Amino acid sequence: MQAASSAPSRAPQDIHPVDQRLPTGKLAALGLQHVLVMYAGAVAVPLIVGRALNLSPDEVAMLISADLFCCGIVTLIQTLGATQWFGIKLPVMMGVTFASVAPMVAIANANPGTAGAQLLFGTIIGAGAVSILIAPMISRMLRFFPPVVTGTIIAVIGITLMRVGINWIFGNPFGPTAPVIVDPLYAKWLADVTSPGSAIPPVPQGFAIMPSMPNPRYADLTGLGIAALVLVSILLIVKYTRGFVANISVLLGIVIGAVAASATGVMTFEKIGQAAWFDIVLPFHFGMPKFDPILILSMSLIMVVVMIESTGMFLALGEMTGRDVRQEDLARGLRTDGLGTLLGGIFNTFPYTSFSQNVGLVAVTGVKSRYVCVAGGLVLLVLGLLPKMAALVESLPTVVLGGAGIVMFGMVTATGIRILSGVDFKGNRHNAMIVAVSIGVGMVPLIAPNFKQWMPHSLHTLVESGILLASLSAVLLNLFLNGATHDKRAIISAALQADEH
């Protein structure tokens, strides 16, 4: 009897901390905490890409719902496991990777509307399938991605994305919020002289008057004030708070900005009132996807970088939780990145990876149970079925998002710099050359976007992404100058440095 009564007390001690099931109330609270930490970053990508595609507000809101829904599904697969092929079964929250934003925006800008959405989601589906197939090989390719390479790539990702945040604040360089517009007097003159019956010769095709008049909608002071309020609020929260509140500083800054925007009449709530309380996320909302082999190759190369970063995160989580991460575990985790990306394309959303800010939260809280992230995944799943929540996010003025975007995208750059801070620049002068040249190559599409105009059109999608060019440059230069040495400790250290990315 005594032995029987003592057995239950010993049983929990035999369970690894990663596999421990906490009380339901604690699981729910900790899971919600994980969701709040990642929420701002999770909803940023559908807002960026949806607006780049020129979709309607309802369709952008649908993208947000689909994103949260798929975040939940992929998190559950990664934490609980699905067959012997998928799921690393560690406390991981999955979200859309910022690394894929620049190439997706390039596709969206070149192919706006429903047709562009079909092409984009076909590209994502293709890249997801490729990622599933190559996942076991990626887990053996770490030697080609030491910290000098990953740090450079992440820094370029942040610098490239910063353009999005700045345009959110001031206005886009084209369209209704462009810095300059055509003077209405000039436009009226052109309309008069080209009207039927005019004596002047026909105007050459493509003739237009150059914009020369400052646009009153560009960089208006009310919007600048709101963006500044968001940024200052985030900085004050970071300085004067600790723990969980500090971890959700970006989300709280957005809330403060939304209140200010509502008070000034910049933000309205009609779309929220019209949205349904509950709706199902359906696949192929925009029709059957279209597949372009070159675009799929380009996105697959981005996914290689994403999976290398995930590998570092998984190894770092293994260190934090005390669970040995083997080669087959890495392959299961990386396959789930690919499966999440495949599901993302099917359900009208984007490529997925482990969110490193949530990895950092595991270190901060000391809670190692993967069931906390299971609870977070269930919360995300429910949020994805509530269109009013998505409509609320879509209703946020871009100036509010811009103030937060400076922080979010800047932190990506800072993460790359922090990873590079652990690189040996004194003893190995080649590392500085790798960083210098790769960042320069990555800036070419940003500074000179028309550099590709005389190249074959089939190459445009491969060279118009600065992130992709920087990635190829860093990998090839490191291979040429340093060789391919494998240092697992350096990779884990770099992943631990990236807890804000």
Side-chain angles (χ1 to χ4, degrees):
M1 178 68 70
Q2 186 175 356
S5 62
S6 62
S9 64
R10 288 198 305 266
Q13 299 174 4
D14 298 333
I15 300 175
H16 194 281
V18 169
D19 299 319
Q20 286 182 354
R21 296 174 183 258
L22 305 179
T24 303
K26 190 174 183 180
L27 270 181
L30 291 171
L32 180 61
Q33 177 174 284
H34 270 284
V35 171
L36 292 175
V37 166
M38 69 174 290
Y39 191 81
V43 300
V45 177
L47 283 170
I48 296 169
V49 178
R51 287 168 178 171
L53 281 167
N54 293 327
L55 299 179
S56 68
D58 289 342
E59 289 174 324
V60 174
M62 187 278 300
L63 290 184
I64 295 169
S65 290
D67 177 33
L68 294 173
F69 180 77
C70 284
C71 279
I73 290 179
V74 185
T75 297
L76 293 176
I77 294 173
Q78 190 72 279
T79 50
L80 291 174
T83 74
Q84 73 270 33
W85 303 107
F86 300 101
I88 198 168
K89 297 183 181 179
L90 286 173
V92 176
M93 295 295 291
M94 302 292 288
V96 177
T97 172
F98 279 126
S100 63
V101 171
M104 289 194 297
V105 168
I107 295 172
N109 288 336
N111 307 274
T114 301
Q118 293 169 350
L119 183 61
L120 175 62
F121 295 128
T123 300
I124 293 169
I125 290 171
V130 171
S131 300
I132 293 172
L133 294 175
I134 66 175
M137 291 184 285
I138 296 296
S139 62
R140 298 182 179 91
M141 288 175 58
L142 293 181
R143 61 174 56 88
F144 299 111
F145 291 85
V148 68
V149 173
T150 55
T152 301
I153 294 170
I154 292 172
V156 171
I157 290 170
I159 295 169
T160 303
L161 290 175
M162 191 61 73
R163 176 176 54 180
V164 174
I166 292 170
N167 286 339
W168 272 347
I169 295 174
F170 299 110
N172 289 313
F174 305 102
T177 59
V180 289
I181 56 175
V182 174
D183 190 312
L185 292 176
Y186 299 167
K188 183 177 184 304
W189 172 85
L190 181 62
D192 290 341
V193 300
T194 56
S195 61
S198 173
I200 69 167
V203 173
Q205 186 176 3
F207 176 83
I209 297 174
M210 184 176 180
S212 59
M213 178 180 176
N215 187 346
R217 294 190 60 186
Y218 186 80
D220 69 282
L221 294 182
T222 301
L224 284 176
I226 293 172
L229 174 65
V230 174
L231 180 57
V232 170
S233 299
I234 293 170
L235 295 175
L236 291 174
I237 292 168
V238 168
K239 179 173 175 60
Y240 293 110
T241 65
R242 294 288 182 270
F244 173 61
V245 175
N247 284 333
I248 61 169
S249 58
V250 173
L251 182 61
L252 293 177
I254 291 174
V255 171
I256 292 170
V259 172
S262 301
T264 56
V266 176
M267 180 178 176
T268 58
F269 298 92
E270 292 87 355
K271 288 178 284 188
I272 303 169
Q274 294 168 4
W277 281 103
F278 180 84
D279 197 8
I280 299 294
V281 176
L282 298 175
F284 305 124
H285 173 84
F286 297 95
M288 292 305 295
K290 299 175 182 176
F291 301 96
D292 183 308
I294 299 296
L295 291 178
I296 291 172
L297 174 61
S298 178
M299 189 64 74
S300 297
L301 292 173
I302 294 293
M303 285 303 298
V304 169
V305 177
V306 168
M307 289 193 289
I308 291 294
E309 186 185 353
S310 290
T311 298
M313 292 300 161
F314 295 149
L315 294 173
L317 265 176
E319 291 278 311
M320 291 178 191
T321 60
R323 169 160 282 180
D324 184 38
V325 178
R326 300 161 297 175
Q327 194 84 37
E328 54 267 32
D329 297 323
L330 286 177
R332 285 201 305 273
L334 296 178
R335 277 196 205 96
T336 308
D337 278 9
L339 178 62
T341 301
L342 177 65
L343 291 174
I346 292 172
F347 282 96
N348 323 294
T349 181
F350 313 107
Y352 285 90
T353 186
S354 56
F355 258 35
S356 56
Q357 55 262 55
N358 294 89
V359 173
L361 190 59
V362 172
V364 170
T365 62
V367 178
K368 303 173 182 178
S369 172
R370 60 191 169 103
Y371 291 101
V372 169
C373 292
V374 170
L378 291 173
V379 171
L380 287 168
L381 206 61
V382 172
L383 289 175
L385 299 174
L386 302 176
K388 280 193 183 295
M389 286 295 298
L392 175 61
V393 173
E394 196 283 327
S395 297
L396 289 170
T398 55
V399 289
V400 173
L401 298 170
I406 292 291
V407 177
M408 286 192 294
F409 305 145
M411 287 304 297
V412 177
T413 305
T415 297
I417 294 170
R418 281 174 23 204
I419 292 173
L420 290 173
S421 69
V423 173
D424 179 16
F425 290 107
K426 291 184 179 179
N428 184 347
R429 60 189 179 89
H430 294 154
N431 286 333
M433 187 67 69
I434 293 167
V435 175
V437 173
S438 299
I439 289 180
V441 170
M443 291 300 97
V444 170
L446 200 64
I447 306 302
N450 294 324
F451 79 101
K452 59 186 182 294
Q453 66 184 20
W454 305 119
M455 297 180 184
H457 196 270
S458 59
L459 293 179
H460 285 197
T461 52
L462 287 174
V463 300
E464 64 192 358
S465 168
I467 297 169
L468 186 57
L469 291 179
S471 302
L472 292 174
S473 172
V475 170
L476 295 176
L477 283 175
N478 178 70
L479 191 59
F480 173 65
L481 296 173
N482 290 336
T485 57
H486 180 61
D487 187 349
K488 181 178 177 181
R489 298 302 311 172
I491 292 168
I492 294 175
S493 176
L496 291 171
Q497 287 281 350
D499 63 354
E500 294 291 344
H501 174 36

